[in-house]
Amino acid sequence: MDYKRILTIQDISCVGQCSLTVALPILSASGAETAILPSAVLSTHTAGFTGYTFRDLTDDIPAIASHWKKEGLYFDAIYTGYLGSERQIEYVKDIMNTLGKKGAVNIVDPAMADNGKLYPAFDESFVRQMKKLAFSADIILPNITEACLLTGYEYKEKYDENYINGLISEMAACGARTVILTGVGYDSDTTGVVVYSNGKTEYYRHKKISRGCHGTGDVYASAFVGAYIGGKTLFESAKIAADFTVLCIENTIGDSTHTYGVKFEPVLGEYIKMIK
Ligand code: PXL
């Protein structure tokens, strides 16, 4: 297997099992060299905690990127998650345009919303900037809320296949080439992921666990990126990421005191087996 170098750009939530504290170990477990660019440093994530600290690192980014250029450090894939500011998005776009090796894959998880709502730190103007980044990427990994915000499509909690096909068409019309749409369930016991690429749509249905856990979007996206950059197909990668995320949730739900993230570390070995 080729040894690939991935850059992931997302925040450090010091405690909270999301963003870089999830992406770095999962991508490393996939066998790729993983470079990081922290978008911001927070004491915890913003879902369910109050009084968290937030240091935006936007102003550090241009100097970091220009040092990498000077050193000739380029990447096989650039994968972005939760970003620190609207202004930062321009810098991230520039990094995608200039620091990828030939044929590099740009992957955007437009981590900004869930369950019909934007995360507390973001507003409409952030969404407008995120659209530019998302629709210039090779692969986008939104949930339904994020896909609706990116396209202006009406958000619905209850929906059918026609609704989802309409949402995918809107994404394609806005310029999306490959979409991994997460959290798509058509009945109460299952959920799944829609994989859209080259005009073709496939669906992977899997078990739904009733307790929603924070950080699973980041576990999913990181597991997907690791599998895909490691050589699995889009659909295999989407399936592996889903199966691994379910495993992480199953490993967590028995512990009612563990509320802020998923206990993914004890099952990382299973992820390594899945991508072999
Ligand atoms: O998991 C997405 C995420 C990442 N980083 C921070 C967050 C969230 C979701 O709320 O608050 C800081």
Side-chain angles (χ1 to χ4, degrees):
M1 197 176 84
D2 277 357
Y3 185 56
K4 297 276 174 64
R5 184 190 288 147
I6 301 178
L7 169 65
T8 184
I9 310 176
Q10 41 192 311
D11 73 280
I12 295 176
S13 286
C14 298
V15 177
Q17 287 173 313
C18 68
S19 33
L20 279 180
T21 61
V22 161
L24 179 55
I26 292 176
L27 291 171
S28 298
S30 80
E33 176 189 350
T34 308
I36 60 167
L37 181 48
S39 57
V41 179
L42 296 86
S43 49
T44 64
H45 60 62
T46 67
F49 290 102
T50 51
Y52 44 83
T53 68
F54 181 93
R55 182 171 300 275
D56 175 20
L57 297 181
T58 301
D59 289 335
D60 292 12
I61 292 180
I64 292 173
S66 76
H67 182 217
W68 287 343
K69 278 176 209 161
K70 219 156 67 198
E71 295 289 341
L73 296 167
Y74 296 95
F75 303 97
D76 296 291
I78 299 175
Y79 148 47
T80 69
Y82 187 104
L83 298 178
S85 73
E86 189 183 322
R87 195 159 56 85
Q88 188 173 101
I89 295 177
E90 273 305 314
Y91 294 149
V92 169
K93 270 183 69 189
D94 182 64
I95 287 174
M96 284 188 164
N97 290 333
T98 57
L99 280 165
K101 292 182 192 170
K102 194 164 178 285
V105 187
N106 291 329
I107 303 170
V108 171
D109 174 358
M112 61 181 176
D114 205 1
N115 300 313
K117 280 204 238 68
L118 270 175
Y119 294 149
F122 302 132
D123 58 15
E124 277 308 308
S125 154
F126 182 88
V127 174
R128 274 198 297 278
Q129 279 296 102
M130 181 55 88
K131 279 185 198 176
K132 296 185 200 161
L133 182 69
F135 293 122
S136 66
D138 298 301
I139 303 176
I140 325 177
L141 289 129
N143 57 36
I144 294 176
T145 306
E146 289 157 348
C148 287
L149 285 166
L150 291 172
T151 54
Y153 199 72
E154 185 192 358
Y155 175 76
K156 286 188 184 168
E157 252 162 53
K158 287 203 166 18
Y159 51 79
D160 57 15
E161 256 182 273
N162 278 339
Y163 170 85
I164 295 296
N165 289 338
L167 179 54
I168 292 286
S169 300
E170 284 295 311
M171 293 287 288
C174 288
R177 278 162 279 182
T178 297
V179 183
I180 311 292
L181 183 66
T182 57
V184 180
Y186 298 114
D187 57 59
S188 54
D189 303 328
T190 65
T191 185
V193 46
V194 174
V195 177
Y196 167 84
S197 194
N198 290 324
K200 191 174 134 217
T201 301
E202 289 175 280
Y203 181 57
Y204 179 60
R205 184 192 302 262
H206 60 86
K207 174 158 48 158
K208 178 174 177 178
I209 299 166
S210 53
R211 187 179 137 191
C213 292
H214 187 262
T216 49
D218 299 341
V219 168
Y220 184 91
S222 304
F224 169 86
V225 172
Y228 186 67
I229 299 307
K232 298 287 182 197
T233 66
L234 273 178
F235 191 76
E236 281 167 349
S237 306
K239 178 178 181 303
I240 287 169
D243 293 346
F244 178 59
T245 305
V246 169
L247 201 61
C248 294
I249 300 172
E250 283 175 339
N251 193 50
T252 309
I253 47 172
D255 182 353
S256 59
T257 65
H258 198 89
T259 52
Y260 55 71
V262 285
K263 297 176 169 180
F264 70 95
E265 305 86 347
V267 291
L268 258 184
E270 296 305 312
Y271 173 64
I272 294 172
K273 285 186 204 154
M274 288 174 187
I275 57 172
K276 279 260 153 71

